[in-house]
Amino acid sequence: MTGLVAGRVAAGLAVVSVGLHVAALGAMPPLAVLLMLAAALACLRCVPALWRTSDSRAWEWTAGTAAAMVALHLLVMGTTGGPAAHGGAAHAAAGHVAAHLHGEGWDLMHVASLVAGLEVVLAVGVLVARLAGRRRHLPAEVSSAR
């Protein structure tokens, strides 16, 4: 996947994330609404850069914010009476995977977590590929000194 295509896919995923955050506003308390709007703005921040130029700073921000979203979603899902509240993170992960494999338990939070997870994988993949490309182009004396 070329950098421009990957950037446009990531920009699309970020727009989906914004939409999911806005859709979740519903009947939330004011503090939760502010947090959701902040999360939506964090997702929206990189859309233009990912769409047009796909620069490394946008990829780094995307990877970081999406990873934070996944962690926050897992924390929230675990403290709302789900499996994590009763048996820790490993039990929660196993319970969620088992339920989803049987088609159960999909809600807005799970869909948002999946989208954020895809963003993390894509962003980290692009950053690793760029790092590998830079290492290949290092002069021989620089790479042999390592």
Side-chain angles (χ1 to χ4, degrees):
M1 183 181 300
T2 68
L4 184 60
V5 171
R8 291 193 172 177
V9 169
L13 288 170
V15 169
V16 169
S17 291
V18 170
L20 290 168
H21 284 106
V22 170
L25 291 176
M28 293 183 152
L31 181 59
V33 168
L34 289 176
L35 290 173
M36 292 301 271
L37 290 174
L41 288 174
C43 295
L44 198 55
R45 178 183 181 271
C46 289
V47 170
L50 289 169
W51 186 264
R52 286 188 297 238
T53 63
S54 186
D55 71 349
S56 291
R57 278 182 272 138
W59 283 112
E60 291 162 358
W61 179 262
T62 300
T65 56
M69 294 294 169
V70 170
L72 185 60
H73 291 177
L74 290 174
L75 179 68
V76 169
M77 286 187 288
T79 58
T80 56
H86 304 291
H91 180 72
H96 274 95
V97 169
H100 297 319
L101 288 176
H102 290 92
E104 302 169 10
W106 286 99
D107 61 9
L108 197 58
M109 180 77 76
H110 287 88
V111 174
S113 298
L114 178 64
V115 170
L118 290 172
E119 289 178 280
V120 171
V121 169
L122 182 59
V124 169
V126 167
L127 290 168
V128 167
R130 286 184 177 187
L131 182 60
R134 286 186 197 139
R135 292 198 78 172
R136 264 182 276 158
H137 297 332
L138 286 176
E141 63 274 359
V142 173
S143 59
S144 65
R146 292 181 185 241

